[in-house]
Amino acid sequence: METLSSPSHQTLISANFTSRSAYSNGISLPSPLVKIHRRRFAAGVKASVAVDQEKKVALLRIGTRGSPLALAQAYQTRDKLMETSSELAEEGAIEIIIIKTTGDKILTQPLADIGGKGLFTKEIDEALLNSDIDIAVHSMKDVPTYLPDKTILPCNLPREDVRDAFICLSASSIADLPAGSVVGTASLRRKSQLLHRHPHLTVQDNFRGNVQTRLKKLKEGNVNATLLALAGLKRLSMTEHVTAILSIDDMLPAVAQGAIGIACRSDDDRMADYIAKLNHEETRLAVACERAFLLTLDGSCRTPIAGYASRDEDGNCLFRGLVASPDGTKGNKKNQKM
């Protein structure tokens, strides 16, 4: 910005004074230089306003929940899209839109009591169908076994660690917890397997909230310990809170745990092409196998079900499944090689 001492301002002021001295009646006419300066200034203001008002339209809009973990997964998806499609690497090409779901709104009740499927996906699916977003990023273990009409989910990102983590401020393992200790978890799957092996423990089964909220409740002494998915802690760079990692034999994971899924409209070939570049086929096949197991059982939040598909040393698909009672007294675990 120019100051009053700059040559151009000195010239304009001098010209104006000259104009005033030429008329004895006190009326002054602006000099031609002043008129030019004002026109240029006005044009500059208009141009600046036009640029400020113009909002660049994103080429791709990602719909996601608003929790720190959901956002971490959305940003991971964004980064991969930018790496694989040069036009999406430009500033403003991708927009992330936060959508609050039923599961986010109702935190005072156990998930099993809220009822229905798709507690963490329904509103995002609706936004996708209404073209308010172009793709939806989900934690696959939240996705119902059916998809809404006119949507597809053709892409899974590489799977993170599927195991569960034990987190406690006073004991180094679950076995070290004294009788009557309270373990917080909103998962019937975790509750059932925990009580099956450790019936002397108590489970608080409405221990809900995002990762940060549950860790805060633990620190405040609401419970003695909790169990969280290791995948989420890794994506949030919060593994320093892990006391011990539970083996798959001790705690079979939820169906599709650790997997991220990306959905789009079935008639949107452009979006389907974008996300096809991100697909990790081995993860997609494993998740499809596990979800087929869940679909066959018509599983819901009221049924403790676990499932994990992996490759054995010969490259065959090895599937492990579990159906149990909520109190852990009954359970049927199966291993199947395919």
Side-chain angles (χ1 to χ4, degrees), residues 78-98:
R78 180 204 63 181
D79 293 346
K80 288 182 176 293
L81 286 166
M82 293 173 68
E83 291 170 5
T84 55
S85 299
S86 58
E87 65 272 27
L88 298 180
E90 297 180 9
E91 184 178 356
I94 298 177
E95 180 182 4
I96 293 177
I97 298 176
I98 296 173

Side-chain angles (χ1 to χ4, degrees), residues 313-324:
E313 59 276 7
D314 298 321
N316 299 312
C317 177
L318 177 63
F319 178 78
R320 310 179 197 185
L322 169 70
V323 182

Side-chain angles (χ1 to χ4, degrees), residues 38-333:
R38 287 175 178 171
R39 283 198 297 267
R40 287 177 178 172
F41 176 76
V45 170
K46 289 179 181 178
S48 176
V49 170
V51 170
D52 289 343
Q53 289 179 343
E54 182 182 351
K55 182 180 179 182
K56 185 173 182 178
V57 178
L59 297 177
L60 188 151
R61 297 161 299 168
I62 298 174
T64 177
R65 294 169 59 202
S67 71
L69 177 56
L71 287 172
Q73 295 176 167
Y75 284 122
Q76 181 182 349
T77 301
R78 180 204 63 181
D79 293 346
K80 288 182 176 293
L81 286 166
M82 293 173 68
E83 291 170 5
T84 55
S85 299
S86 58
E87 65 272 27
L88 298 180
E90 297 180 9
E91 184 178 356
I94 298 177
E95 180 182 4
I96 293 177
I97 298 176
I98 296 173
I99 300 168
K100 202 162 190 177
T101 66
T102 301
D104 298 315
K105 296 172 186 175
I106 305 175
L107 296 174
T108 57
Q109 298 173 252
L111 293 174
D113 293 346
I114 300 174
K117 297 181 180 179
L119 295 174
F120 295 105
T121 60
K122 181 182 176 183
E123 286 79 2
I124 299 176
D125 291 334
E126 290 173 349
L128 183 61
L129 289 170
N130 292 334
S131 297
D132 295 324
I133 59 175
D134 299 304
I135 65 173
V137 177
H138 297 296
S139 291
M140 281 303 300
K141 68 177 183 178
D142 292 335
V143 178
T145 51
Y146 66 89
L147 295 176
D149 290 340
K150 300 181 181 180
T151 69
I152 55 174
L153 203 160
C155 172
N156 290 122
L157 300 185
R159 196 173 197 174
E160 187 48 274
D161 198 315
V162 303
R163 295 173 295 173
D164 283 313
F166 171 68
I167 303 176
C168 183
L169 303 178
S170 59
S172 59
S173 69
I174 296 176
D176 291 336
L177 287 172
S181 295
V182 179
V183 180
T185 177
S187 164
L188 290 182
R189 170 190 64 85
R190 291 181 179 130
K191 175 183 177 180
S192 177
Q193 293 184 80
L194 184 68
L195 292 178
H196 179 72
R197 290 179 175 272
H198 308 278
H200 61 286
L201 300 177
T202 300
V203 173
Q204 184 187 120
D205 55 10
N206 190 29
F207 195 72
R208 295 190 52 208
N210 60 39
V211 171
Q212 288 81 355
T213 298
R214 282 180 274 181
L215 290 176
K216 181 181 177 184
K217 289 180 179 179
L218 172 64
K219 187 176 181 180
E220 292 173 346
N222 294 348
V223 295
N224 301 113
T226 188
L227 304 174
L228 295 174
L230 183 58
L233 293 167
K234 285 189 172 184
R235 289 183 178 129
L236 290 169
S237 300
M238 296 177 67
T239 54
E240 71 274 11
H241 296 283
V242 175
T243 304
I245 298 174
L246 306 182
S247 72
I248 290 175
D249 291 332
D250 288 339
M251 184 67 67
L252 197 62
V255 164
Q257 183 158 306
I260 296 172
I262 308 175
C264 67
R265 291 180 293 278
S266 56
D267 61 353
D268 195 336
D269 294 337
R270 185 165 66 96
M271 293 300 147
D273 289 343
Y274 280 142
I275 62 180
K277 299 174 185 177
L278 311 186
N279 182 55
H280 187 255
E281 188 63 8
E282 185 166 336
T283 297
R284 191 191 68 80
L285 292 173
V287 168
C289 177
E290 295 166 22
R291 284 167 57 81
F293 171 70
L294 189 63
L295 176 63
T296 301
L297 296 174
D298 192 25
S300 70
C301 291
R302 294 185 178 275
T303 311
I305 296 176
Y308 177 54
S310 60
R311 289 185 184 274
D312 65 12
E313 59 276 7
D314 298 321
N316 299 312
C317 177
L318 177 63
F319 178 78
R320 310 179 197 185
L322 169 70
V323 182
S325 62
D327 62 4
T329 57
K330 297 178 182 178
N332 189 9
K333 185 180 287 188

